[in-house]
Amino acid sequence: MTLPDGWDAEEQARVKRLATKLRTDHATQIIAVRAPGRVNLIGEHTDYSGLPVLPVAIDRSTIVVAAANTTGEIEVTNADPAWPSRRFAIERQIPPYETGDWADYVKAAIQGVIDRFPTHALRGASIVVDGRVPPAAGLSSSSALTVSIAMAFMASNQLELDPLEAATMVARSERYVGTHGGGMDQAASIFGRRDHALFIEFDPLRVRAIKMPANAALVVADSRQIADKSGTVRAEYNRRVVECSLAARILGRALKLDGATILGDVVRAYPAWNAVELVEKLAATSPAQLGANLKDAANILGVTQNALDADLLGQGPTRIALDPTRPLEVLKRARHVLSETERVIHAATVLEAGRLDEMGTLMDASHQSLADDFECSTQRLDEIVECARRGGALGARLTGAGFGGSIVALCEVSNAAAVIESIDRGYYAKQYPGAAPENWRAVLHAGAGASVIDMRATA
Ligand code: NG1
């Protein structure tokens, strides 16, 4: 049988090994899913405002092997013993583990399928996970995991969804872990295409593949500053989700738009919008900073503080907790998101035309905006970006949520080795003297999106 695009020889061998155990324990059908991580070229912190992004799925993936069982439970084992095995019952509302447990991402994916098929009698599944997307590096190992689990669980229950619907379902389900993210990572993992970047738009989700120019190389380097999404980074991320939504609500009211809750609502209402004008409008209507108790914001919006609080922060276990001692930055965040959106739209055009120099310039500007206005870069990310540029990269920026994690540098294929050398010498040798940096940076390639195979057919 011909495998779907994206499975390399090593991955095929891995799933066969993982399937052996399930094959002896379960006589039923065995499903294997491969779902890649992603690196975002440009369009950072725009997805949860419903604004476009331009990532590539990468040739690093998570592989999952699953078989339906009769216990009514999910039994999940990780090939890496650092992540302990877990077992939980399938129920209408699955209670989460303690914050930070890796298997909460498994629960998130299963809960997403339960919510999507609420009247279906779902069978349990035994699942083995083998993840090869570096965790906490800004390459979306979490979405590779949730996408692969959701697809495996659906397949083991003979359920199918259109890919656009599947991406939307998994994006929503990942919020179970408490991060109020957008839909970039899950869409990239599902729609990845070899040698292509993905121009992804939201509300409704649309994906257009853009061929990567043949002379372009992507160097991805991990700062090794852990961007741990379950702790302070989650709080910082969610804070920005709130700040962006406040900017949208205030701008929406100033422009007499009914019900704008994300900046995408504002942009979509004005096809001829531009970032400078919208930011000026916002500045004229609202102070640049607002108190975290939302009192001033409620006044500006003409709503009660309680109503705004419930609407913005949510309720229950995924309610956003705001540090009350810091002001909310409304203007700076909006300036980043709106200017970044202009850059993404421009980037799609220049990438398609193979104008790599211009693409690099846009990536540099994106990093600057993330550092100054979105305040999600770090000294270490700035340093590693600088090293990539010194090595001759056409442009470089942090990729993913930031606060640590990886950078992506765009360069000519012929120059990739020099960029890597510059990062090794200027960053790793200083931060980690004497260490071998080979596993911390690589030239990554745009790869295929997630796919499911029936192991019986490949045995
Ligand atoms: P990573 O880098 O995987 O933490 C997060 C969000 C994205 C997007 C980026 C910033 C999740 C699962 N992912 O990515 O949706 O908002 O930050 O552009 O929350």
Side-chain angles (χ1 to χ4, degrees), residues 40 43-53 171 175 180-185 200-206 237-249 251 257 259-269 273 278 282 312 329-342 344-345 370 374:
N40 190 15
E44 218 63 84
H45 289 280
T46 50
D47 61 351
Y48 50 82
S49 288
L51 291 166
V53 293
R175 296 188 195 141
H180 291 244
M184 160 168 64
D185 305 347
I200 303 177
E201 296 173 279
F202 302 95
D203 304 325
L205 181 62
R206 281 151 294 161
Y237 185 97
N238 287 342
R239 189 176 186 85
R240 280 157 183 72
V241 174
V242 170
E243 291 167 328
C244 291
S245 180
L246 270 178
R249 286 159 198 258
L251 203 45
L257 291 176
T261 56
I262 50 175
L263 285 164
D265 294 336
V266 178
V267 164
R268 276 184 282 279
W273 70 281
L278 287 183
L282 181 62
L312 263 184
E329 298 285 351
V330 182
L331 196 67
K332 280 177 160 187
R333 306 304 186 235
R335 189 162 56 205
H336 166 72
V337 172
L338 294 169
S339 64
E340 183 79 347
T341 298
E342 287 182 339
V344 177
I345 294 167
L370 287 162
F374 222 69

Side-chain angles (χ1 to χ4, degrees), residues 152-169:
F153 184 50
M154 281 197 301
S156 67
N157 275 288
Q158 274 84 45
L159 294 169
E160 265 187 63
L161 277 182
D162 160 78
L164 285 169
E165 252 199 276
T168 306
M169 175 190 77

Side-chain angles (χ1 to χ4, degrees), residues 179-260:
T179 304
H180 291 244
M184 160 168 64
D185 305 347
Q186 302 81 3
S189 186
I190 289 178
F191 285 94
R193 187 161 154 202
R194 187 187 294 266
D195 298 329
H196 285 72
L198 307 165
F199 181 67
I200 303 177
E201 296 173 279
F202 302 95
D203 304 325
L205 181 62
R206 281 151 294 161
V207 183
R208 182 162 70 86
I210 295 178
K211 184 105 170 72
M212 286 294 289
N215 57 336
L218 300 174
V219 171
V220 175
D222 185 354
S223 69
R224 298 189 48 78
Q225 181 175 14
I226 301 282
D228 174 13
K229 272 303 241 343
S230 62
T232 50
V233 170
R234 176 170 296 154
E236 287 299 326
Y237 185 97
N238 287 342
R239 189 176 186 85
R240 280 157 183 72
V241 174
V242 170
E243 291 167 328
C244 291
S245 180
L246 270 178
R249 286 159 198 258
I250 295 171
L251 203 45
R253 187 175 158 91
L255 298 171
K256 304 197 173 22
L257 291 176
D258 250 2

